Amino acid sequence: MHFGSGVPTVGVDALSADDFLLDVREEDEWAAGHAEGALHIPMSDFVARFGTLTEQAPEGGRINVICRAGGRSAQVTAYLVQQGLDAVNVDGGMQVWEAAGRPVVDGNGAPGTVI
């Protein structure tokens, strides 16, 4: 993957419950707490699982990419934009998501936490 600068971003407050969310954090982070309904593809598996994203993302829709704080998701967003997809980085990641009072669930659907 090649990552560039000038990555498009979106604030957590601009996202609705219906927006497509791609979480690129690792398994332990996901299991501890994630946004319900998000698609999970760890950054470490991203290139190998790119087809999973293209199958599940809304056709012609925006892909909102999130990680813990925004660094990894910015890299994945840049890659997706280079592939011609409409993708944006969620500014501040799951830390801001949780701080904004957005729901976070663990691997069993119970209340979770961001690690």
Side-chain angles (χ1 to χ4, degrees), residues 30-83:
W30 170 265
H34 58 270
E36 191 170 16
L39 173 63
H40 180 227
I41 303 176
M43 185 174 168
S44 60
D45 295 337
F46 190 76
V47 173
R49 294 186 53 201
F50 183 74
T52 301
L53 172 64
T54 58
E55 289 172 6
Q56 295 189 30
E59 189 172 332
R62 187 171 74 180
I63 301 166
N64 300 285
V65 188
I66 198 165
C67 67
R68 182 172 185 264
R72 290 172 284 179
S73 54
Q75 294 176 27
V76 171
T77 299
Y79 176 79
L80 293 174
V81 168
Q82 289 174 355
Q83 303 310 305

Side-chain angles (χ1 to χ4, degrees), residues 83-101:
Q83 303 310 305
L85 298 172
D86 181 8
V88 294
N89 184 34
V90 178
D91 192 30
M94 285 300 297
Q95 290 178 325
V96 171
W97 180 278
E98 184 177 48

Side-chain angles (χ1 to χ4, degrees), residues 7 13 16 20 22-23 29 33 57 63 71-72 74 89 94-95 113:
V7 174
D13 58 337
S16 75
F20 184 81
L22 170 65
D23 190 323
E29 295 171 290
I63 301 166
R72 290 172 284 179
N89 184 34
M94 285 300 297
Q95 290 178 325
T113 189

